[in-house]
């Protein structure tokens, strides 16, 4: 699923019911703000709802940690912005600019674009900003002043952060162009005054969960733990996790206890014990990811950024995936390739399909669509890993998609209508087939000594992705899917057409992402280009047409499409099974890599006219506990306040006390 698009288009939420509700809430510059729904929450048993409540509180309690990790000035900047925003000055233009900037600041967790890592700045003048701040102060706003600091001095201190693009220009710089040190060139707060050379000279005791600081010529590790850095926030996280334990299943309770232990000591062995306990908890309906996890923020790739996700298993969709996995052998026996490449005991690849209730820190408001953890290779090999695909995020992306984007590349109104009705459903089923059946299928030639990766080298990923896509395209029209109850018979033709039409449009639409050169590097993109162009050259399934100087790829014949996909799949499997590097190279060189720059320019012009967003921030569900006369929580209510500002201010308010303690401590 790609990051998408403008314009709320309410569409049926499933094949049977029509619910009109808003997904796209607003556009802020190149960002879309989209509402996330957690429909299954209300159907969960009450103890699971209460469990989610406590985990949700833990997720909010740690949110400020990631703000501080991302930029040392972030929390002060946010408090200043929020103070002004909640006490508007009455100068309409300045207020509007501060609102715009603050929304981007929240979505990106600070002044750095999450895609490019580059800094963005306020576009009013420092004088206008100062006037707004003073007006807010006069209206009763409080500011994050240091001891003895005036409001003027505070604004002065933060002025370069708000206004100067050249001060701390990039949050993470893995390849500085000016030959600077990667840690020095990165503005994040995982290191202070430290260079790569300094780091190489020491042995870190807490590689994942410490900040390295150079003090008087030596390097100190400030450990993220109770009693260490972020003590106030971590204590709150631990308190909420502790409250969650009585409502958890035994495996979840064990994982939560292990997590608390890690937060207390910060020690590597306790982090590992937590990973192991978390992986062991495979069948609980409710789960959380909470801690210092992903390392993308660190140019060095070592320090974990804090994040939290709370989610429950989407039982309906997970059941569909398990159904497919249970039939993996049926599909394997009917693969359109040489029987010698069929596996005898094939196991479908399964992941849980989940709906998230909240994502904070490194995981929100811009969120992942799938996760596979833990990251430590040794734990994965010994104990396995857990994979989730985040259904309600995928769904919200799709339903907030701009109608103009769909229709721009569709040949007819009929195609647009079919896409609107079926594309999301069809794409989800095709993705399940790709993951569960496609990647699991096939076997190597018995005499091929080396692994396919070794033999196919840089062609391997594109071949493997093509194989999985082709398996999905080939089996989507199979009556077996109706027999399994995955599609209704009367919808089957439309679902197949919607997916084939979308698939044919994609190679055109994706050219918008390659604004320079005439070659495609990314493997998933190569795979789609190759399949569609091969079908165009070898079947009558897809035709290239032009209308008013616009190019279209029109899917004409689903039978020819399927037959062609089967033929190509047989060849792609042969290439993989035999490690036929030359054939793989020829296939992609002919159909998958090169494109015409004039066509790309045409596509870019068409897409730019639509002003599509380049990323999305999500507004998440809001939970509220219901209490009895003694204050005991008896149930939890979910609602959807469709407003980013309200939600962000609520989260900040919830951590005001720990933020003050944190400031007082250093
Ligand atoms: Zn894949």
């Amino acid at each position: 699923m790609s990051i998408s698009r403008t314009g709320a288009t309410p569409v049926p939420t499933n094949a049977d019911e029509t619910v009109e509700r808003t997904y796209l809430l607003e556009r802020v510059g190149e960002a879309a703000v989209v509402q996330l729904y957690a429909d299954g929450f209300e159907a969960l048993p009450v103890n699971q709802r209460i469990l989610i409540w406590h985990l949700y509180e833990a997720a909010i309690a740690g949110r400020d940690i990631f703000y501080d990790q991302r930029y040392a000035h972030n929390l002060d900047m946010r408090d200043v912005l929020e103070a002004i925003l909640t006490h508007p000055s009455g100068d309409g233009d300045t207020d509007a600019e501060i609102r715009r900037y603050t929304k981007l600041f929240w979505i990106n967790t600070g002044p750095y674009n999450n895609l490019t890592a580059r800094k963005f700045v306020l576009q009013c003048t420092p004088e206008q900003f100062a006037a707004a701040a003073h007006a807010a102060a006069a209206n009763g706003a409080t500011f994050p002043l240091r001891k003895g600091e005036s409001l003027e001095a505070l604004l002065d201190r933060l002025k370069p952060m708000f206004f100067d693009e050249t001060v701390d220009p990039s949050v993470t710089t893995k390849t500085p162009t000016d030959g600077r040190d990667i840690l020095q060139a990165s503005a994040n707060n995982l290191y202070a005054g430290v260079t790569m050379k300094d780091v190489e000279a020491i042995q870190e005791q807490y590689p994942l969960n410490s900040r390295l600081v150079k003090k008087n010529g030596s390097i100190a590790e400030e450990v993220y733990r109770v009693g260490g850095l972020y003590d106030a926030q971590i204590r709150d996280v631990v308190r909420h996790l502790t409250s969650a334990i009585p409502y958890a299943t035994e495996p979840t309770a064990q994982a939560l206890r292990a997590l608390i232990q890690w937060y207390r000591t910060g020690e590597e062995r306790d982090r590992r014990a937590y990973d192991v306990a978390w992986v062991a908890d495979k069948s609980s309906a409710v789960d959380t990811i909470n801690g210092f996890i992903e390392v993308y923020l660190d140019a060095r790739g070592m320090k974990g950024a804090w994040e939290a996700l709370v989610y429950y298993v989407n039982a309906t969709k997970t059941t569909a995936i398990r159904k497919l996995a249970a039939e993996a052998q049926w599909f394997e026996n009917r693969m359109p390739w040489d029987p010698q490449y069929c596996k005898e005991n094939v196991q479908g690849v399964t992941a849980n399909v989940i709906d998230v209730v909240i994502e904070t820190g490194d995981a929100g408001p811009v969120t992942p669509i799938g996760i596979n953890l833990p990251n430590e290779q040794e734990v994965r090999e010994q104990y396995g890993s857990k994979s989730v695909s985040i259904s309600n995020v995928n769904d919200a992306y799709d339903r907030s998609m701009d109608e103009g984007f769909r229709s721009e590349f569709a040949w007819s109104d009929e195609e647009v209508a079919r896409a609107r009705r079926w594309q999301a459903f069809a794409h989800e089923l095709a993705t399940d087939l790709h993951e569960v059946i496609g990647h699991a299928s096939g076997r190597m030639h018995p005499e091929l000594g080396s692994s396919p990766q070794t033999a196919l080298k840089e062609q391997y990923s594109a071949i493997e992705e093509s194989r999985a896509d082709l398996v999905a395209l080939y089996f989507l029209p199979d009556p077996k899917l109706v027999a399994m109850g995955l599609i209704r018979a009367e919808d089957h033709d439309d679902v197949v057409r919607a997916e084939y039409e979308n698939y044919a449009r994609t190679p055109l639409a994706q050219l918008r992402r390659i604004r320079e050169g005439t070659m495609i590097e990314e493997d998933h993109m190569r795979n789609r280009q190759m399949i569609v162009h091969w079908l165009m050259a070898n079947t009558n399934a897809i035709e290239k047409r032009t209308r008013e100087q616009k190019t279209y790829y029109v899917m004409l014949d689903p039978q020819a499409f399927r037959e062609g996909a089967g033929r190509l799949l047989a060849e792609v499997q042969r290439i993989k099974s035999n490690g036929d590097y030359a054939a793989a190279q020829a296939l992609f060189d002919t159909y998958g890599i090169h494109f015409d720059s004039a066509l790309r320019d045409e596509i870019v012009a068409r897409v730019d006219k639509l002003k599509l967003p380049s990323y999305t921030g999500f507004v998440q569900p809001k939970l509220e506990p219901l209490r009895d006369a003694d204050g005991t929580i008896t149930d939890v209510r979910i609602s959807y306040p469709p407003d980013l500002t309200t939600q962000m201010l609520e989260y900040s308010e919830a951590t005001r006390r720990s933020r003050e303690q944190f400031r007082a401590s250093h």
Side-chain angles (χ1 to χ4, degrees), residues 51 55 226 234 237-267 269-279 281 287-288 290:
L51 169 63
L55 299 173
V226 172
I234 291 174
V237 171
V238 165
R239 187 162 52 82
H240 294 302
L241 294 176
T242 306
S243 306
I245 289 174
Y247 299 94
T249 62
E250 189 44 35
T252 307
Q254 279 187 29
L256 293 175
R257 282 186 212 108
L259 175 57
I260 290 167
Q261 174 69 8
W262 180 40
Y263 274 136
R264 290 215 167 104
T265 69
E267 296 294 337
R269 58 162 197 278
D270 289 326
R271 196 267 310 147
R272 197 168 191 280
Y274 163 55
D275 278 357
V276 171
W278 182 79
V279 166
D281 179 17
D287 200 358
T288 190
N290 183 310

Side-chain angles (χ1 to χ4, degrees), residues 434-435 439 464-465 468 524:
H434 171 117
E435 300 291 350
H439 281 308
E464 180 57 17
E465 292 310 318
H524 292 82

Side-chain angles (χ1 to χ4, degrees), residues 466 469 503-512 514 519-536 542 553 568 587-588 590-596 599:
S466 302
D469 264 9
Y503 205 90
R505 288 194 298 270
T506 304
L508 285 181
Q510 72 186 9
L511 289 182
R512 76 185 188 280
I514 313 164
M519 268 179 54
I520 294 168
E521 292 291 342
E522 205 279 322
D523 293 319
H524 292 82
M525 292 173 75
R526 283 185 172 187
N527 127 44
R528 289 212 153 188
Q529 297 280 336
M530 186 280 282
I531 290 173
V532 169
H533 290 128
W534 188 95
L535 289 172
M536 289 168 84
I542 303 166
Y553 285 178
L568 179 56
L587 196 57
F588 287 105
T590 312
Y591 299 112
I593 294 177
H594 307 283
F595 61 84
D596 172 12
L599 178 61

